[in-house]
Amino acid sequence: MGIVVQKYGGSSVADAAGVKRVAQRIVNTKKAGHQVVVVVSAMGDTTDELIDLANEVAPLPPARELDMLLTAGERISMAVLAMAIATLGHEARSFTGSQAGVITDAAHGKAKIIDVTPSRIQKAIGEGAIAIVAGFQGVSQTTKDITTLGRGGSDTTAVALAVALDADVCEIYSDVDGIFTADPRIEPRARKVPRISYEETLEMAAQGAKILHLRCVEYARRYDMPIHVRSSFSEKEGTWVVKAEDVAQEATMEAAIITGVAHDRSQAKITVVGVPDKPGEAAALFRAVAEAQINIDMIVQNVSAAATGRTDISFTLPSSEGQTAMTALSRIQESIGFESLQYDDSVGKVSIIGAGMSSSPGISARFFEALSEAGVNIEMISTSEIRVSVVVSETQVVDAVNAAHAAFDLGSDEIEAVVYGGTGR
Amino acid sequence: MGIVVQKYGGSSVADAAGVKRVAQRIVNTKKAGHQVVVVVSAMGDTTDELIDLANEVAPLPPARELDMLLTAGERISMAVLAMAIATLGHEARSFTGSQAGVITDAAHGKAKIIDVTPSRIQKAIGEGAIAIVAGFQGVSQTTKDITTLGRGGSDTTAVALAVALDADVCEIYSDVDGIFTADPRIEPRARKVPRISYEETLEMAAQGAKILHLRCVEYARRYDMPIHVRSSFSEKEGTWVVKAEDVAQEATMEAAIITGVAHDRSQAKITVVGVPDKPGEAAALFRAVAEAQINIDMIVQNVSAAATGRTDISFTLPSSEGQTAMTALSRIQESIGFESLQYDDSVGKVSIIGAGMSSSPGISARFFEALSEAGVNIEMISTSEIRVSVVVSETQVVDAVNAAHAAFDLGSDEIEAVVYGGTGR
């Protein structure tokens, strides 16, 4: 009889049929005896269409006004969803982020939630209504202007509301059944993970898995709010994201050392050729990149060639930031004295993730052997406590995922993964 | 150097090109030394599209949620307009009705403005920015829910803001040059009226002229706020709507007795046949219609036929309300004992309006003679202090307008009226 917060993404409410289907699910949850608070994203491609409209009138739209514009998207979806619920005979009241008490800083386009004061939501559910809240948006504490939370904002709104309302669970709905051992589109034997820790989920997300956004998982971990990732197209249990102890409690005798394989094709590699091998040169290089606000990921420095006193330094970064980084580096070519720059965006990153890894030696060796047997050439390597990542040629990403998936026995005996949707997106 | 409030309708900002054009106009006004506050409607057909979306999910969308939905339309247009102004190098800040301090009652879909507290607008223009305000919307004083003002809401927002800000003028932009002596689409010799009183404008609007909404003119009259009706497609002076004394001051030697001819094709006529000619029967009839929230306009009761003791009662009403009225009347057929109902929506109303009428005898006679000479048959007549209206067959509306226009010498020597637009609407 507790509070359930549900979040539905844009693909779940892409059209009238989707809205009606989601409305029925919400009503079912209410009928099961729960108090229901729903966070909803903009319908289908609405946000992209609004951005296109902005670009038609302004090459560089002011951030305050872009936020005002984009928040119209959730305003539409939440009102329409509330109407669909009313048609099923239940009262629903929609609330903007501001009305729901989502208080943020004033950083338009990437605002951070600094407080949630959901008194209007509590009043609505206390009076027996279903509350529908616009995801992705809030109101600045200082300027009282409307803000958006940026990428993953709706998931974060849902978790933050769940925490503020002391909900039993935050259910995040999308068009896939949960979190899988690998992307089902490239690994047909991928298996849904029933439970996974916040930490593993963070690594999966950071390494390219598309289900949950980092911010929302971090928020849930900080306040220990269970997330249930599931499909709005099916009634099946999805994946529970919980604290590590709760995963261990539920673990079967054959506890998996590796939880999943993530991949990321959005990386590029820059190689700085012929850097003078003197103290401080690498630091100057990365200071220039950092000043350009570029997030670099892996770094490899080749062994210096004694004859020349020069070395090559390679690093990876999101390919969307490649041009900016190349420009920043070109500017310091003369002062550093390196020979040339090479840019390669035909690379991909493949990672194995698992909390059991730290206590099981030989995981990296087994991973690299599997890649070698599959003929995959490793270009770079990085590791964390619960992760091993490699950079490979983009053409070998699928082979690498399949090899790793098989090497750690992650597959199910039958093909289980289903990607729903059918919205034409 | 005072405050100018400008209101742009949906056809002026129907697409990106329109938004940019309007942005340039606003910037020109700012450069001329004014503080500028802009009220904007939803772009083009946005409101209709949102209503279609609502109807896709809910046959009877709850009024609170419909208001939440529709207010997304102005949110989009105002943000995009602010962006276009920024591109021209001027700061613009957009504000929702709620942020602009438009306080209303809680009547969703037809809320009344009960207060305007525009402190954020004053701050914005005080800091040199242009303020862009969403028309048609406000926030309920009691429930804090978002409301819409209904038909003519954006015009009313503009006038109410102009009054609250003590502006010099409220400029209402559309795709026509001003208020004309008749609708230029059916009267090619129609002439733009340079000045017109609030009272005459109210009669014109009530009798079907489409330029200004009754509510906005009533609001302007109450607070004596001059309205300048003009085209967003041209730099020409439009029509000034001012108090009657100010029209008289400016009147030329040949003061026009009649200011204009209005017509309205949206009327229908219901005839209740064979009503017992006893006291109280007509009252019962119209009480039934009133209880169904129908606005009736003209009423004619035929002379009772002595032989039968029965009479026919005809009245006109908006044809959109015809079905409701017929249903309400059918329900009381037995209790009243009338014989039958006749419904006719192929009627139109033609009115001549002019403040000089009350002091000039013979106006009605000249009007009726002109109609007679043009072969137009008068079905019903009603008059006010400054207006004479007739109901005619819909097929004779144009003939009636042309005849009246000529009879009172309203035409210009050359064809002056231009309807702009080109938005495909």
Side-chain angles (χ1 to χ4, degrees):
Chain A
M1 303 296 276
I3 297 173
V4 173
V5 175
Q6 300 186 326
K7 181 261 170 175
Y8 294 93
S11 62
S12 298
V13 292
D15 52 20
V19 170
K20 289 180 189 174
R21 188 172 43 74
V22 165
Q24 186 61 61
R25 267 200 100 96
I26 293 166
V27 166
N28 292 349
T29 309
K30 171 85 174 138
K31 279 186 184 161
H34 301 285
Q35 292 188 312
V36 188
V37 176
V38 175
V39 174
V40 69
S41 301
M43 294 173 74
D45 298 326
T46 307
T47 302
D48 290 338
E49 287 163 13
L50 291 173
I51 290 173
D52 289 348
L53 177 62
N55 289 333
E56 272 188 77
V57 299
L60 282 171
R64 178 192 188 276
E65 298 305 325
L66 193 58
D67 279 0
M68 187 66 96
L69 178 68
L70 295 185
T71 50
E74 285 77 27
R75 194 180 194 87
I76 293 170
S77 59
M78 73 180 187
V80 171
L81 183 55
M83 291 174 189
I85 292 170
T87 302
L88 299 174
H90 287 256
E91 193 198 350
R93 295 181 211 160
S94 66
F95 297 94
T96 64
S98 173
Q99 291 175 331
V102 179
I103 315 293
T104 72
D105 61 21
H108 286 291
K110 51 182 186 214
K112 286 199 177 55
I113 296 176
I114 53 184
D115 197 8
V116 181
T117 55
S119 58
R120 292 186 70 176
I121 306 299
Q122 284 160 327
K123 180 165 184 288
I125 60 176
E127 292 171 0
I130 293 162
I132 314 287
V133 179
F136 177 68
Q137 58 179 250
V139 61
S140 157
Q141 192 171 45
T142 49
T143 64
K144 307 298 176 204
D145 287 332
I146 301 303
T147 54
T148 65
L149 308 180
R151 289 278 159 199
S154 290
D155 290 0
T156 310
T157 302
V159 171
L161 267 175
V163 169
L165 293 165
D166 197 19
D168 292 345
V169 58
C170 179
E171 298 183 335
I172 307 264
Y173 287 86
S174 73
D175 54 4
V176 292
D177 274 338
I179 298 177
F180 283 78
T181 51
D183 185 339
R185 283 168 298 190
I186 67 169
E187 172 51 66
R189 297 174 69 86
R191 189 175 42 79
K192 187 173 67 193
V193 180
R195 286 184 165 243
I196 184 171
S197 67
Y198 297 120
E199 291 74 16
E200 289 166 311
T201 309
L202 284 171
E203 285 282 10
M204 294 280 276
Q207 302 312 320
K210 299 273 182 351
I211 292 283
L212 286 179
H213 287 271
L214 282 175
R215 287 172 74 183
C216 119
V217 182
E218 278 166 0
Y219 205 109
R221 178 173 65 161
R222 196 175 318 135
Y223 296 99
D224 192 17
M225 172 55 62
I227 299 177
H228 187 183
V229 180
R230 53 197 306 198
S231 167
S232 70
F233 292 84
S234 125
E235 295 290 336
K236 280 191 250 182
E237 280 273 303
T239 298
W240 285 80
V241 182
V242 292
K243 56 185 170 186
E245 304 91 277
D246 294 345
V247 178
Q249 276 174 13
E250 297 275 327
T252 56
M253 293 196 298
E254 286 187 288
I257 293 165
I258 299 302
T259 304
V261 182
H263 73 281
D264 183 358
R265 294 181 213 251
S266 69
Q267 299 279 306
K269 185 175 74 168
I270 290 179
T271 302
V272 188
V273 179
V275 182
D277 195 7
K278 294 183 295 193
E281 297 299 330
L285 213 59
F286 289 110
R287 193 175 312 118
V289 175
E291 278 166 7
Q293 305 284 326
I294 306 296
N295 293 303
I296 60 169
D297 183 19
M298 295 188 204
I299 303 173
V300 170
Q301 178 167 358
N302 294 359
V303 177
S304 175
T308 63
R310 287 176 180 271
T311 185
D312 297 347
I313 297 178
S314 297
F315 61 90
T316 61
L317 77 174
S319 56
S320 59
E321 300 177 352
Q323 188 55 55
T324 316
M326 290 293 279
T327 306
L329 287 169
S330 298
R331 270 199 220 105
I332 56 163
Q333 179 164 6
E334 214 166 317
S335 64
I336 302 266
F338 62 80
E339 287 165 7
S340 63
L341 292 170
Q342 288 172 359
Y343 183 75
D344 179 7
D345 68 356
S346 63
V347 295
K349 191 169 56 168
V350 175
S351 309
I352 55 172
I353 289 128
M357 186 184 292
S358 54
S359 55
S360 301
I363 298 298
S364 295
R366 206 201 297 181
F367 182 29
F368 299 156
E369 277 165 21
L371 294 178
S372 167
E373 280 162 22
V376 174
N377 185 40
I378 301 172
E379 299 188 17
M380 297 166 89
I381 297 171
S382 77
T383 62
S384 81
E385 190 82 348
I386 61 171
R387 172 181 60 82
V388 180
S389 299
V390 297
V391 169
V392 301
S393 162
E394 193 171 13
T395 58
Q396 294 193 303
V397 164
V398 175
D399 289 346
V401 169
N402 295 345
H405 205 261
F408 292 100
D409 287 328
L410 293 175
S412 62
D413 290 337
E414 49 193 291
I415 292 175
E416 171 187 22
V418 182
V419 178
Y420 303 87
T423 64
R425 295 178 72 216
Chain B
M1 303 295 276
I3 297 173
V4 173
V5 175
Q6 301 186 325
K7 181 261 171 175
Y8 294 92
S11 63
S12 298
V13 291
D15 53 20
V19 170
K20 289 180 189 175
R21 189 173 42 74
V22 165
Q24 187 61 60
R25 268 200 100 96
I26 294 167
V27 166
N28 291 349
T29 309
K30 171 84 176 137
K31 280 186 183 161
H34 301 284
Q35 291 188 312
V36 188
V37 176
V38 175
V39 174
V40 68
S41 301
M43 293 173 73
D45 299 326
T46 307
T47 302
D48 290 337
E49 287 164 12
L50 290 173
I51 290 173
D52 289 346
L53 177 62
N55 289 334
E56 272 188 76
V57 299
L60 283 169
R64 178 192 189 276
E65 299 305 325
L66 194 57
D67 279 0
M68 187 67 95
L69 179 69
L70 295 185
T71 49
E74 285 78 27
R75 193 179 194 87
I76 292 169
S77 58
M78 71 180 188
V80 171
L81 183 54
M83 291 174 188
I85 292 170
T87 301
L88 299 174
H90 287 257
E91 193 197 351
R93 295 181 210 161
S94 66
F95 297 94
T96 64
S98 173
Q99 291 176 332
V102 180
I103 314 291
T104 72
D105 61 20
H108 286 290
K110 50 180 185 216
K112 288 198 175 57
I113 295 175
I114 54 185
D115 197 8
V116 181
T117 55
S119 57
R120 292 187 69 175
I121 307 300
Q122 284 160 327
K123 180 166 183 289
I125 59 177
E127 292 172 359
I130 294 162
I132 314 288
V133 179
F136 176 69
Q137 59 179 249
V139 61
S140 157
Q141 191 171 47
T142 50
T143 65
K144 308 297 176 204
D145 287 331
I146 301 304
T147 54
T148 66
L149 308 180
R151 289 279 157 199
S154 290
D155 290 0
T156 310
T157 302
V159 172
L161 267 175
V163 169
L165 294 165
D166 196 20
D168 291 345
V169 58
C170 179
E171 299 183 334
I172 307 265
Y173 287 87
S174 73
D175 55 4
V176 293
D177 274 338
I179 299 178
F180 282 79
T181 52
D183 184 339
R185 282 168 300 192
I186 68 171
E187 174 50 66
R189 298 175 70 83
R191 190 174 43 78
K192 188 173 67 193
V193 181
R195 288 184 163 241
I196 184 170
S197 68
Y198 297 120
E199 292 73 17
E200 288 167 311
T201 310
L202 283 171
E203 286 283 9
M204 293 281 275
Q207 301 312 321
K210 298 275 181 349
I211 292 281
L212 285 179
H213 287 270
L214 282 175
R215 287 173 74 183
C216 120
V217 182
E218 279 167 359
Y219 206 110
R221 178 173 64 161
R222 197 174 320 138
Y223 296 99
D224 191 17
M225 172 56 59
I227 299 177
H228 187 184
V229 180
R230 53 197 306 200
S231 168
S232 69
F233 293 83
S234 127
E235 296 289 337
K236 280 190 251 183
E237 279 274 302
T239 298
W240 285 80
V241 183
V242 293
K243 56 185 171 187
E245 302 92 278
D246 294 345
V247 178
Q249 277 174 12
E250 297 277 327
T252 57
M253 291 195 300
E254 287 187 285
I257 294 166
I258 299 301
T259 306
V261 182
H263 73 281
D264 183 359
R265 294 181 213 252
S266 69
Q267 297 280 306
K269 185 175 73 168
I270 290 178
T271 302
V272 188
V273 179
V275 182
D277 196 7
K278 294 184 296 196
E281 297 298 330
L285 212 58
F286 290 109
R287 193 175 311 120
V289 175
E291 278 165 7
Q293 306 284 324
I294 306 295
N295 293 304
I296 62 171
D297 182 19
M298 295 189 204
I299 303 172
V300 171
Q301 179 167 357
N302 294 359
V303 176
S304 176
T308 61
R310 287 176 180 271
T311 185
D312 296 345
I313 297 178
S314 296
F315 60 92
T316 60
L317 75 175
S319 55
S320 59
E321 299 177 354
Q323 188 55 56
T324 316
M326 289 294 278
T327 306
L329 288 168
S330 297
R331 271 200 218 102
I332 57 162
Q333 179 163 8
E334 214 165 317
S335 63
I336 302 267
F338 62 78
E339 287 165 10
S340 63
L341 292 171
Q342 288 171 359
Y343 183 76
D344 180 6
D345 68 355
S346 62
V347 296
K349 192 169 55 169
V350 175
S351 309
I352 54 171
I353 290 127
M357 188 184 294
S358 53
S359 55
S360 302
I363 298 297
S364 295
R366 205 200 299 179
F367 181 30
F368 300 155
E369 277 164 21
L371 294 178
S372 168
E373 279 161 22
V376 174
N377 185 41
I378 300 173
E379 299 188 18
M380 297 165 88
I381 298 170
S382 77
T383 62
S384 81
E385 190 82 349
I386 61 171
R387 171 182 59 83
V388 180
S389 300
V390 296
V391 170
V392 301
S393 163
E394 192 170 13
T395 58
Q396 296 193 302
V397 165
V398 175
D399 289 346
V401 169
N402 296 344
H405 205 261
F408 292 99
D409 288 327
L410 294 176
S412 61
D413 290 336
E414 49 194 289
I415 292 176
E416 170 186 23
V418 183
V419 179
Y420 303 87
T423 64
R425 294 180 71 216

